[in-house]
Amino acid sequence: MAPPVAAATRKRVLKVIFVSLLLDLISFTFILPLFPKLLEFYRNVEATADASAPPSKTLLSSVLGYLNAYKAAFARPIESRYDIVLLGGALGSLFSLLQAIASPVIGHLSDRYGRRTALLASMAGNILSVLLWVVAVDFRTFLASRIVGGLSEGNVQLATAIATDISDESSRGATIALIGACFSIAFTFGPALGAWLSTISTVSANPFATAAGVSLFLIVTETIYLYFNLPETLPSMTDKTGAATAATAATEKKSPEASASASASASASAPVQRTNSHFLLNLVHLTFLLFFSGMEFSLPFMTYDLFEYTSAKNGRLLGFVGLVASILQGGVTRRLPPLLSVRIGVAACLVAFVLLARLSTVPALYLAAACLATTSATVVTGLNALSSFEAGEGERGGKLGILRSWGQLGRGLGPVLFTSVYWWAGRDVAYSMGAAGIAAVGMLVFWGLKTPSASASAKTKGVKDVKKKL
């Protein structure tokens, strides 16, 4: 096991992670509220709805043709107003599936070449992705932007790996919860800022160039900030100098410090004792996000059908979810043991599904939204912490990357599968099925997962330290 990171170093690295991830996620969320208008713009340019006009041969017209064939397969007619929503969902699923492919690769590269190197390489891909969006005057270029972004976005998983590197067992859950707080803050303010920037037109060929340009500025600023401020945190690299010094000291004199260094080296090579298998953690992540992401994507459809919600009202609802999640991340989640955090979030998710299957009033909708906020603030953060406890120092990047990959697979498939049931069988069946799926996830979480031995040891040690001080 690597020696503990100095408190000053840990505080400095945490600040760098927080600032850089906040810049990254705010930039990432700019595009979320713009998807409908953005895709509508490309459709009007490349795939006119005029029946008398000759059929276009563009990529977008082909994609819309496939989506219309998909819509025609349902017994319930799907209004044409949902074409853009379906296209946005398809692009979101593509992004997630590309992440499922790229995340393990990025994680393993960070274990081999270092977190800093992997993160800066990821940032180069992000810059290229946003640059393509800036110049995207056609759908083909915009699609290329999303593909490059999906294959290169590794900031969240690498930030989690760095947080794991610099924290001990007793503080790991709170440290990783900081990353969840960045998500909640960014999703509370980023979409609104992106929507405002989209009203500022600077390039007629691309009405969204202003939002894309500011996003590019944030990404470039983040990259420069990381280059000058982020140190390497991978234990096998940061310990090289210390190990060489200890070896020299051991040769010159057999000191107690040299013996301690040898003991630490032996500990580092010892196999990891796992309490929970990574397969079980990955399975929980996959199945949870399969149902949760499907519910997230179908929510605007449901609010429109039941309450005739506009985009502005849906924005307020999602803003409420982000605000509650931010409060929980900052004041509650960081103090909870990871397994308890996951259990609370899954239970809240089950309540949300049950409510959504039966609700008929706006207050009940906001109660379900509060449950969703609780879930957003707890489950993924807790699973990341649990996975880090079950990984050795030289494999954390890869293990966290694989965990993210399974989750992104669920996030990519969930919207398609869930909305298919929603249109085939209706709201009651879809959300009741989702409740059954989350109940199955709950069985795995409550009876399959256990508190990691490292976490339990850290907790016991903390209690003993407090008793000594008393």
Side-chain angles (χ1 to χ4, degrees):
M1 181 178 179
V5 176
T9 301
R10 179 176 179 272
K11 184 177 180 181
R12 178 167 62 89
V13 174
L14 276 178
K15 177 185 175 182
V16 173
I17 291 176
F18 185 84
V19 172
S20 64
L21 199 56
L22 202 55
L23 289 172
D24 185 82
L25 291 173
I26 289 175
S27 170
F28 175 80
T29 57
F30 274 3
I31 199 172
L32 299 182
L34 309 185
F35 261 118
K37 290 294 183 183
L38 190 150
L39 296 176
E40 189 176 78
F41 165 76
Y42 290 127
R43 183 187 63 179
N44 293 339
V45 171
E46 301 182 31
T48 177
D50 185 0
S52 62
S56 59
K57 301 291 185 180
T58 63
L59 175 64
L60 180 56
S61 62
S62 299
V63 172
L64 289 174
Y66 288 121
L67 287 177
N68 284 323
Y70 172 71
K71 286 197 318 179
F74 295 102
R76 293 177 59 189
I78 303 174
E79 298 178 25
S80 59
R81 69 182 295 273
Y82 286 130
D83 287 355
I84 295 300
V85 179
L86 286 172
L87 180 57
L91 289 179
S93 293
L94 174 64
F95 187 90
S96 296
L97 293 174
L98 291 172
Q99 278 279 277
I101 296 170
S103 293
V105 177
I106 294 172
H108 286 301
L109 289 176
S110 78
D111 285 335
R112 182 170 183 179
Y113 298 105
R115 315 289 189 223
R116 185 176 185 275
T117 300
L119 185 53
L120 290 175
S122 176
M123 292 306 304
N126 290 341
I127 290 174
L128 176 59
S129 171
V130 182
L131 185 60
L132 285 170
W133 182 27
V134 172
V135 300
V137 296
D138 56 19
F139 179 74
R140 188 186 299 272
T141 306
F142 178 73
L143 180 61
S145 165
R146 301 306 292 168
I147 291 173
V148 172
L151 291 174
S152 59
E153 176 60 51
N155 303 57
V156 175
Q157 73 180 77
L158 292 174
T160 304
I162 292 170
T164 300
D165 291 337
I166 63 172
S167 60
D168 57 22
E169 287 81 357
S170 61
S171 63
R172 187 167 300 165
T175 304
I176 294 178
L178 184 69
I179 295 171
C182 288
F183 261 98
S184 300
I185 294 170
F187 275 80
T188 300
F189 300 104
L193 183 56
W196 176 73
L197 289 170
S198 70
T199 63
I200 305 174
S201 179
T202 53
V203 181
S204 58
N206 181 4
F208 306 93
T210 303
V214 175
S215 178
L216 180 62
F217 171 77
L218 292 179
I219 291 294
V220 172
T221 301
E222 178 193 0
T223 304
I224 296 172
Y225 178 70
L226 287 170
Y227 182 83
F228 287 105
N229 293 280
L230 180 67
E232 181 54 63
T233 63
L234 183 64
S236 62
M237 290 189 170
T238 57
D239 296 341
K240 284 180 180 178
T241 304
T245 302
T248 303
T251 302
E252 295 177 352
K253 58 179 180 178
K254 300 295 184 180
S255 64
E257 290 79 3
S259 300
S261 176
S263 176
S265 177
S267 174
S269 61
V272 179
Q273 294 183 348
R274 307 195 201 280
T275 306
N276 302 298
S277 73
H278 282 284
F279 174 79
L280 180 58
L281 290 167
N282 296 337
L283 180 63
V284 169
H285 202 203
L286 167 67
T287 51
F288 165 73
L289 283 178
L290 183 71
F291 294 102
F292 183 75
S293 64
M295 174 182 57
E296 278 186 317
F297 184 71
S298 68
L299 197 59
F301 294 93
M302 192 207 75
T303 56
Y304 174 78
D305 288 338
L306 286 182
F307 308 112
E308 298 184 354
Y309 262 27
T310 62
S311 298
K313 288 185 177 180
N314 274 323
R316 284 197 290 270
L317 180 66
L318 295 177
F320 170 78
V321 172
L323 179 61
V324 174
S326 300
I327 295 171
L328 291 175
Q329 286 277 8
V332 180
T333 305
R334 59 190 296 270
R335 294 182 172 87
L336 295 176
L339 182 55
L340 178 60
S341 177
V342 174
R343 287 173 173 173
I344 290 174
V346 170
C349 189
L350 179 58
V351 173
F353 266 105
V354 172
L355 287 171
L356 290 171
R358 294 166 175 79
L359 64 83
S360 58
T361 64
V362 171
L365 175 65
Y366 271 82
L367 178 59
C371 292
L372 294 181
T374 303
T375 302
S376 298
T378 51
V379 177
V380 174
T381 295
L383 287 174
N384 276 316
L386 288 173
S387 183
S388 72
F389 278 118
E390 308 294 354
E393 291 168 352
E395 61 177 358
R396 283 178 188 149
K399 294 299 185 184
L400 289 170
I402 293 172
L403 178 75
R404 180 172 174 79
S405 175
W406 281 56
Q408 291 299 100
L409 180 61
R411 193 175 286 279
L413 297 177
V416 175
L417 297 176
F418 196 88
T419 51
S420 297
V421 176
Y422 187 99
W423 283 315
W424 267 324
R427 172 178 68 115
D428 296 352
V429 173
Y431 287 111
S432 296
M433 183 196 73
I438 292 297
V441 174
M443 293 179 66
L444 293 176
V445 168
F446 280 88
W447 287 283
L449 296 180
K450 298 177 176 61
T451 300
S453 55
S455 176
S457 300
K459 184 177 179 181
T460 303
K461 181 179 180 297
V463 172
K464 289 180 178 178
D465 290 343
V466 171
K467 287 182 177 178
K468 286 180 181 179
K469 291 178 181 179
L470 295 176

